[in-house]
Amino acid sequence: MRISIAQFKSELGAVDENFLTAARLIDASKNSDVIILPELWSTGYYPVPVKNFADIDGKRTIDFLCAAAKKFSVNIIGGSVIVESGDKIFNRCHVVNRRGEIVAAYDKTHLFSFAKENDVFTAGDKISGVELDGVKCGLAICYDLRFPEFVRKIALTGAEIIFIPAAWSLKRLTPRQILTKARAIENQIFVVFANSSGISEVVNPRGEVIAESGRGEEILTVEIDLHERAEVIGAMNLLADRNLHVD
């Protein structure tokens, strides 16, 4: 599977400009199987009051992603955007298949209290998975990475790859690099981390970084060989060896 991370730092609150940037990077990545955008790419992280920048029911985002995916026949993990639904505001990721159809949506579950996300967003309450080109994939957003039990739930659904759009500060780069490796090793999955701030990366089930970006705008493309995951599990099946009979 050929995966491209469309890494860019959005202009805060400049929605029209950010949509143009996303369109340009998707066009430049069109020969991939999957393209992933960063967290809150359409607004930057995050303008206030967020309600003024919310995409009502995600309509503009959905129309944009579906049109691009259908035009280029590519799967798109739509990063995340601010979505107003009813009287609530979510940090939501949409996933679109090659036919331009919405096949999954995920609302960020763990809200980053340090940045007061919990004051403005409503937390999601369920995991979300999707099959793209026959590959089972899971979704998380940024801070979700810090919660091993959450990623484990995704892995237990049979996910082979977890896609994580993020706006992770490079001031906390070291723990993040440890966490992506840990989540990959302990769940024996590929981790694709698309970061608006830079240093996006793809980690294999052995915990090895197989692709890493710089700090600026960039398209990071990597070929993932899913047979590698099968080899890792064949040698040591961690999920099968769990012993849950403990108090």
Side-chain angles (χ1 to χ4, degrees), residues 146-197:
R146 287 189 179 267
F147 299 87
E149 67 279 10
F150 176 76
V151 179
R152 173 55 55 86
K153 284 185 177 181
I154 295 172
L156 289 173
T157 68
E160 301 169 81
I161 305 170
I162 183 167
F163 289 94
I164 309 176
W168 194 294
S169 171
L170 296 184
K171 294 178 182 178
R172 293 179 286 275
L173 176 61
T174 297
R176 194 213 80 200
Q177 290 174 321
I178 293 170
L179 289 165
T180 51
K181 293 180 179 71
R183 298 297 89 87
I185 293 168
E186 68 198 7
N187 295 293
Q188 298 182 307
I189 57 176
F190 286 92
V191 174
V192 178
F193 191 92
N195 195 35
S196 63
S197 300

Side-chain angles (χ1 to χ4, degrees), residues 28 85 142 178 194 207 242:
S85 182
C142 201
I178 293 170
R242 291 184 308 149

Side-chain angles (χ1 to χ4, degrees), residues 15-37:
V15 176
D16 291 342
E17 181 178 338
N18 294 330
F19 265 87
L20 289 173
T21 301
R24 173 170 54 80
L25 294 177
I26 290 171
D27 187 311
S29 309
K30 60 190 175 187
N31 293 324
S32 299
D33 297 307
V34 181
I35 301 170
I36 177 172
L37 298 171

